[in-house]
PDB file of all heavy atoms in Angstrom:
ATOM      1  N   ASN A1528     -30.369-102.189  -6.972  1.00  0.00           N
ATOM      2  CA  ASN A1528     -30.307-101.369  -8.175  1.00  0.00           C
ATOM      3  C   ASN A1528     -31.427-100.307  -8.157  1.00  0.00           C
ATOM      4  O   ASN A1528     -32.611-100.649  -8.117  1.00  0.00           O
ATOM      5  CB  ASN A1528     -30.470-102.304  -9.384  1.00  0.00           C
ATOM      6  CG  ASN A1528     -30.388-101.568 -10.695  1.00  0.00           C
ATOM      7  OD1 ASN A1528     -30.938-100.486 -10.850  1.00  0.00           O
ATOM      8  ND2 ASN A1528     -29.687-102.159 -11.642  1.00  0.00           N
ATOM      9  N   PRO A1529     -31.075 -99.025  -8.188  1.00  0.00           N
ATOM     10  CA  PRO A1529     -32.091 -97.969  -8.060  1.00  0.00           C
ATOM     11  C   PRO A1529     -33.139 -98.001  -9.172  1.00  0.00           C
ATOM     12  O   PRO A1529     -34.315 -97.698  -8.922  1.00  0.00           O
ATOM     13  CB  PRO A1529     -31.293 -96.666  -8.140  1.00  0.00           C
ATOM     14  CG  PRO A1529     -29.861 -97.026  -8.026  1.00  0.00           C
ATOM     15  CD  PRO A1529     -29.709 -98.486  -8.302  1.00  0.00           C
ATOM     16  N   THR A1530     -32.734 -98.368 -10.385  1.00  0.00           N
ATOM     17  CA  THR A1530     -33.714 -98.361 -11.475  1.00  0.00           C
ATOM     18  C   THR A1530     -34.674 -99.533 -11.337  1.00  0.00           C
ATOM     19  O   THR A1530     -35.854 -99.435 -11.692  1.00  0.00           O
ATOM     20  CB  THR A1530     -32.994 -98.384 -12.840  1.00  0.00           C
ATOM     21  OG1 THR A1530     -31.935 -97.429 -12.804  1.00  0.00           O
ATOM     22  CG2 THR A1530     -33.935 -98.049 -13.970  1.00  0.00           C
ATOM     23  N   GLN A1531     -34.182-100.635 -10.790  1.00  0.00           N
ATOM     24  CA  GLN A1531     -35.080-101.756 -10.490  1.00  0.00           C
ATOM     25  C   GLN A1531     -36.121-101.306  -9.457  1.00  0.00           C
ATOM     26  O   GLN A1531     -37.316-101.589  -9.593  1.00  0.00           O
ATOM     27  CB  GLN A1531     -34.265-102.939  -9.942  1.00  0.00           C
ATOM     28  CG  GLN A1531     -35.113-104.148  -9.600  1.00  0.00           C
ATOM     29  CD  GLN A1531     -34.302-105.306  -9.029  1.00  0.00           C
ATOM     30  OE1 GLN A1531     -33.072-105.208  -8.901  1.00  0.00           O
ATOM     31  NE2 GLN A1531     -34.968-106.387  -8.679  1.00  0.00           N
ATOM     32  N   LEU A1532     -35.650-100.568  -8.453  1.00  0.00           N
ATOM     33  CA  LEU A1532     -36.582-100.083  -7.423  1.00  0.00           C
ATOM     34  C   LEU A1532     -37.587 -99.100  -8.017  1.00  0.00           C
ATOM     35  O   LEU A1532     -38.782 -99.168  -7.735  1.00  0.00           O
ATOM     36  CB  LEU A1532     -35.805 -99.409  -6.289  1.00  0.00           C
ATOM     37  CG  LEU A1532     -34.971-100.336  -5.413  1.00  0.00           C
ATOM     38  CD1 LEU A1532     -34.104 -99.522  -4.457  1.00  0.00           C
ATOM     39  CD2 LEU A1532     -35.866-101.287  -4.618  1.00  0.00           C
ATOM     40  N   LEU A1533     -37.101 -98.200  -8.852  1.00  0.00           N
ATOM     41  CA  LEU A1533     -38.003 -97.215  -9.459  1.00  0.00           C
ATOM     42  C   LEU A1533     -39.034 -97.916 -10.338  1.00  0.00           C
ATOM     43  O   LEU A1533     -40.232 -97.603 -10.279  1.00  0.00           O
ATOM     44  CB  LEU A1533     -37.187 -96.199 -10.278  1.00  0.00           C
ATOM     45  CG  LEU A1533     -37.985 -95.189 -11.104  1.00  0.00           C
ATOM     46  CD1 LEU A1533     -38.932 -94.360 -10.240  1.00  0.00           C
ATOM     47  CD2 LEU A1533     -37.038 -94.256 -11.873  1.00  0.00           C
ATOM     48  N   ASP A1534     -38.561 -98.888 -11.118  1.00  0.00           N
ATOM     49  CA  ASP A1534     -39.515 -99.614 -11.959  1.00  0.00           C
ATOM     50  C   ASP A1534     -40.522-100.398 -11.118  1.00  0.00           C
ATOM     51  O   ASP A1534     -41.684-100.554 -11.505  1.00  0.00           O
ATOM     52  CB  ASP A1534     -38.767-100.556 -12.923  1.00  0.00           C
ATOM     53  CG  ASP A1534     -38.378 -99.842 -14.220  1.00  0.00           C
ATOM     54  OD1 ASP A1534     -38.954 -98.768 -14.494  1.00  0.00           O
ATOM     55  OD2 ASP A1534     -37.503-100.345 -14.946  1.00  0.00           O
ATOM     56  N   PHE A1535     -40.082-100.871  -9.977  1.00  0.00           N
ATOM     57  CA  PHE A1535     -41.017-101.595  -9.112  1.00  0.00           C
ATOM     58  C   PHE A1535     -42.099-100.643  -8.568  1.00  0.00           C
ATOM     59  O   PHE A1535     -43.260-101.026  -8.425  1.00  0.00           O
ATOM     60  CB  PHE A1535     -40.268-102.275  -7.968  1.00  0.00           C
ATOM     61  CG  PHE A1535     -41.134-103.207  -7.164  1.00  0.00           C
ATOM     62  CD1 PHE A1535     -41.720-104.315  -7.753  1.00  0.00           C
ATOM     63  CD2 PHE A1535     -41.377-102.975  -5.816  1.00  0.00           C
ATOM     64  CE1 PHE A1535     -42.553-105.175  -7.017  1.00  0.00           C
ATOM     65  CE2 PHE A1535     -42.195-103.821  -5.073  1.00  0.00           C
ATOM     66  CZ  PHE A1535     -42.785-104.918  -5.676  1.00  0.00           C
ATOM     67  N   GLU A1536     -41.717 -99.416  -8.293  1.00  0.00           N
ATOM     68  CA  GLU A1536     -42.713 -98.422  -7.856  1.00  0.00           C
ATOM     69  C   GLU A1536     -43.708 -98.168  -8.989  1.00  0.00           C
ATOM     70  O   GLU A1536     -44.927 -98.150  -8.785  1.00  0.00           O
ATOM     71  CB  GLU A1536     -42.043 -97.086  -7.485  1.00  0.00           C
ATOM     72  CG  GLU A1536     -40.998 -97.170  -6.391  1.00  0.00           C
ATOM     73  CD  GLU A1536     -41.574 -97.302  -4.990  1.00  0.00           C
ATOM     74  OE1 GLU A1536     -42.800 -97.268  -4.842  1.00  0.00           O
ATOM     75  OE2 GLU A1536     -40.781 -97.462  -4.045  1.00  0.00           O
ATOM     76  N   ARG A1537     -43.174 -97.951 -10.175  1.00  0.00           N
ATOM     77  CA  ARG A1537     -44.055 -97.680 -11.325  1.00  0.00           C
ATOM     78  C   ARG A1537     -44.972 -98.872 -11.583  1.00  0.00           C
ATOM     79  O   ARG A1537     -46.182 -98.718 -11.787  1.00  0.00           O
ATOM     80  CB  ARG A1537     -43.210 -97.449 -12.586  1.00  0.00           C
ATOM     81  CG  ARG A1537     -42.414 -96.168 -12.576  1.00  0.00           C
ATOM     82  CD  ARG A1537     -41.469 -96.153 -13.767  1.00  0.00           C
ATOM     83  NE  ARG A1537     -40.766 -94.893 -13.911  1.00  0.00           N
ATOM     84  CZ  ARG A1537     -39.516 -94.798 -14.377  1.00  0.00           C
ATOM     85  NH1 ARG A1537     -38.825 -95.870 -14.736  1.00  0.00           N
ATOM     86  NH2 ARG A1537     -38.953 -93.610 -14.491  1.00  0.00           N
ATOM     87  N   PHE A1538     -44.365-100.048 -11.574  1.00  0.00           N
ATOM     88  CA  PHE A1538     -45.135-101.263 -11.829  1.00  0.00           C
ATOM     89  C   PHE A1538     -46.244-101.433 -10.780  1.00  0.00           C
ATOM     90  O   PHE A1538     -47.385-101.773 -11.109  1.00  0.00           O
ATOM     91  CB  PHE A1538     -44.197-102.485 -11.814  1.00  0.00           C
ATOM     92  CG  PHE A1538     -44.890-103.755 -11.452  1.00  0.00           C
ATOM     93  CD1 PHE A1538     -45.667-104.432 -12.392  1.00  0.00           C
ATOM     94  CD2 PHE A1538     -44.828-104.269 -10.156  1.00  0.00           C
ATOM     95  CE1 PHE A1538     -46.357-105.587 -12.050  1.00  0.00           C
ATOM     96  CE2 PHE A1538     -45.513-105.413  -9.805  1.00  0.00           C
ATOM     97  CZ  PHE A1538     -46.276-106.084 -10.752  1.00  0.00           C
ATOM     98  N   SER A1539     -45.904-101.222  -9.507  1.00  0.00           N
ATOM     99  CA  SER A1539     -46.876-101.480  -8.435  1.00  0.00           C
ATOM    100  C   SER A1539     -48.057-100.518  -8.548  1.00  0.00           C
ATOM    101  O   SER A1539     -49.210-100.901  -8.299  1.00  0.00           O
ATOM    102  CB  SER A1539     -46.216-101.343  -7.064  1.00  0.00           C
ATOM    103  OG  SER A1539     -45.166-102.271  -6.947  1.00  0.00           O
ATOM    104  N   SER A1540     -47.781 -99.286  -8.913  1.00  0.00           N
ATOM    105  CA  SER A1540     -48.872 -98.331  -9.133  1.00  0.00           C
ATOM    106  C   SER A1540     -49.719 -98.814 -10.315  1.00  0.00           C
ATOM    107  O   SER A1540     -50.958 -98.821 -10.262  1.00  0.00           O
ATOM    108  CB  SER A1540     -48.275 -96.944  -9.398  1.00  0.00           C
ATOM    109  OG  SER A1540     -49.272 -95.987  -9.629  1.00  0.00           O
ATOM    110  N   ASP A1541     -49.051 -99.258 -11.360  1.00  0.00           N
ATOM    111  CA  ASP A1541     -49.771 -99.745 -12.550  1.00  0.00           C
ATOM    112  C   ASP A1541     -50.581-101.008 -12.252  1.00  0.00           C
ATOM    113  O   ASP A1541     -51.646-101.220 -12.840  1.00  0.00           O
ATOM    114  CB  ASP A1541     -48.784-100.063 -13.687  1.00  0.00           C
ATOM    115  CG  ASP A1541     -48.322 -98.798 -14.397  1.00  0.00           C
ATOM    116  OD1 ASP A1541     -48.800 -97.708 -14.041  1.00  0.00           O
ATOM    117  OD2 ASP A1541     -47.474 -98.915 -15.304  1.00  0.00           O
ATOM    118  N   ALA A1542     -50.064-101.856 -11.360  1.00  0.00           N
ATOM    119  CA  ALA A1542     -50.778-103.102 -11.054  1.00  0.00           C
ATOM    120  C   ALA A1542     -52.141-102.773 -10.432  1.00  0.00           C
ATOM    121  O   ALA A1542     -53.165-103.384 -10.767  1.00  0.00           O
ATOM    122  CB  ALA A1542     -49.951-103.977 -10.120  1.00  0.00           C
ATOM    123  N   LEU A1543     -52.150-101.788  -9.526  1.00  0.00           N
ATOM    124  CA  LEU A1543     -53.429-101.403  -8.930  1.00  0.00           C
ATOM    125  C   LEU A1543     -54.296-100.654  -9.933  1.00  0.00           C
ATOM    126  O   LEU A1543     -55.520-100.772  -9.925  1.00  0.00           O
ATOM    127  CB  LEU A1543     -53.197-100.584  -7.655  1.00  0.00           C
ATOM    128  CG  LEU A1543     -52.848-101.461  -6.448  1.00  0.00           C
ATOM    129  CD1 LEU A1543     -52.286-100.641  -5.303  1.00  0.00           C
ATOM    130  CD2 LEU A1543     -54.062-102.267  -5.960  1.00  0.00           C
ATOM    131  N   LEU A1544     -53.637 -99.927 -10.813  1.00  0.00           N
ATOM    132  CA  LEU A1544     -54.397 -99.235 -11.865  1.00  0.00           C
ATOM    133  C   LEU A1544     -55.102-100.258 -12.772  1.00  0.00           C
ATOM    134  O   LEU A1544     -56.259-100.058 -13.166  1.00  0.00           O
ATOM    135  CB  LEU A1544     -53.441 -98.355 -12.682  1.00  0.00           C
ATOM    136  CG  LEU A1544     -54.049 -97.514 -13.801  1.00  0.00           C
ATOM    137  CD1 LEU A1544     -55.049 -96.499 -13.251  1.00  0.00           C
ATOM    138  CD2 LEU A1544     -52.946 -96.775 -14.579  1.00  0.00           C
ATOM    139  N   GLU A1545     -54.429-101.353 -13.071  1.00  0.00           N
ATOM    140  CA  GLU A1545     -55.055-102.412 -13.881  1.00  0.00           C
ATOM    141  C   GLU A1545     -56.284-102.982 -13.176  1.00  0.00           C
ATOM    142  O   GLU A1545     -57.314-103.246 -13.791  1.00  0.00           O
ATOM    143  CB  GLU A1545     -54.061-103.555 -14.111  1.00  0.00           C
ATOM    144  CG  GLU A1545     -53.053-103.303 -15.207  1.00  0.00           C
ATOM    145  CD  GLU A1545     -52.048-104.470 -15.333  1.00  0.00           C
ATOM    146  OE1 GLU A1545     -52.348-105.607 -14.888  1.00  0.00           O
ATOM    147  OE2 GLU A1545     -50.965-104.215 -15.866  1.00  0.00           O
ATOM    148  N   LEU A1546     -56.119-103.158 -11.865  1.00  0.00           N
ATOM    149  CA  LEU A1546     -57.236-103.693 -11.085  1.00  0.00           C
ATOM    150  C   LEU A1546     -58.428-102.719 -11.156  1.00  0.00           C
ATOM    151  O   LEU A1546     -59.583-103.133 -11.340  1.00  0.00           O
ATOM    152  CB  LEU A1546     -56.758-103.850  -9.638  1.00  0.00           C
ATOM    153  CG  LEU A1546     -57.515-104.738  -8.688  1.00  0.00           C
ATOM    154  CD1 LEU A1546     -57.790-106.104  -9.270  1.00  0.00           C
ATOM    155  CD2 LEU A1546     -56.708-104.895  -7.379  1.00  0.00           C
ATOM    156  N   PHE A1547     -58.129-101.462 -11.018  1.00  0.00           N
ATOM    157  CA  PHE A1547     -59.144-100.404 -11.116  1.00  0.00           C
ATOM    158  C   PHE A1547     -59.813-100.483 -12.499  1.00  0.00           C
ATOM    159  O   PHE A1547     -61.039-100.456 -12.624  1.00  0.00           O
ATOM    160  CB  PHE A1547     -58.445 -99.058 -10.918  1.00  0.00           C
ATOM    161  CG  PHE A1547     -59.342 -97.856 -10.783  1.00  0.00           C
ATOM    162  CD1 PHE A1547     -60.624 -97.950 -10.247  1.00  0.00           C
ATOM    163  CD2 PHE A1547     -58.881 -96.589 -11.150  1.00  0.00           C
ATOM    164  CE1 PHE A1547     -61.428 -96.822 -10.104  1.00  0.00           C
ATOM    165  CE2 PHE A1547     -59.680 -95.459 -11.000  1.00  0.00           C
ATOM    166  CZ  PHE A1547     -60.951 -95.581 -10.488  1.00  0.00           C
ATOM    167  N   GLN A1548     -58.997-100.629 -13.534  1.00  0.00           N
ATOM    168  CA  GLN A1548     -59.517-100.650 -14.900  1.00  0.00           C
ATOM    169  C   GLN A1548     -60.415-101.872 -15.133  1.00  0.00           C
ATOM    170  O   GLN A1548     -61.432-101.777 -15.833  1.00  0.00           O
ATOM    171  CB  GLN A1548     -58.349-100.638 -15.899  1.00  0.00           C
ATOM    172  CG  GLN A1548     -58.765-100.402 -17.327  1.00  0.00           C
ATOM    173  CD  GLN A1548     -59.307 -98.986 -17.578  1.00  0.00           C
ATOM    174  OE1 GLN A1548     -58.641 -98.000 -17.320  1.00  0.00           O
ATOM    175  NE2 GLN A1548     -60.540 -98.894 -18.076  1.00  0.00           N
ATOM    176  N   ILE A1549     -60.059-102.998 -14.513  1.00  0.00           N
ATOM    177  CA  ILE A1549     -60.900-104.199 -14.647  1.00  0.00           C
ATOM    178  C   ILE A1549     -62.311-103.894 -14.136  1.00  0.00           C
ATOM    179  O   ILE A1549     -63.318-104.231 -14.759  1.00  0.00           O
ATOM    180  CB  ILE A1549     -60.278-105.385 -13.868  1.00  0.00           C
ATOM    181  CG1 ILE A1549     -59.033-105.889 -14.609  1.00  0.00           C
ATOM    182  CG2 ILE A1549     -61.288-106.512 -13.640  1.00  0.00           C
ATOM    183  CD1 ILE A1549     -58.202-106.896 -13.823  1.00  0.00           C
ATOM    184  N   GLU A1550     -62.371-103.223 -12.994  1.00  0.00           N
ATOM    185  CA  GLU A1550     -63.692-102.905 -12.432  1.00  0.00           C
ATOM    186  C   GLU A1550     -64.415-101.872 -13.295  1.00  0.00           C
ATOM    187  O   GLU A1550     -65.620-101.976 -13.544  1.00  0.00           O
ATOM    188  CB  GLU A1550     -63.552-102.389 -10.995  1.00  0.00           C
ATOM    189  CG  GLU A1550     -63.074-103.461 -10.041  1.00  0.00           C
ATOM    190  CD  GLU A1550     -63.679-103.319  -8.654  1.00  0.00           C
ATOM    191  OE1 GLU A1550     -64.871-102.976  -8.543  1.00  0.00           O
ATOM    192  OE2 GLU A1550     -62.960-103.557  -7.677  1.00  0.00           O
TER     193      GLU A1550
END
Side-chain angles (χ1 to χ4, degrees):
N1528 181 318
T1530 314
Q1531 180 181 359
L1532 290 172
L1533 174 58
D1534 272 343
F1535 189 62
E1536 302 284 357
R1537 291 172 174 146
F1538 154 78
S1539 300
S1540 179
D1541 282 357
L1543 281 166
L1544 182 62
E1545 280 177 21
L1546 198 50
F1547 189 29
Q1548 191 68 57
I1549 288 170
E1550 292 214 39

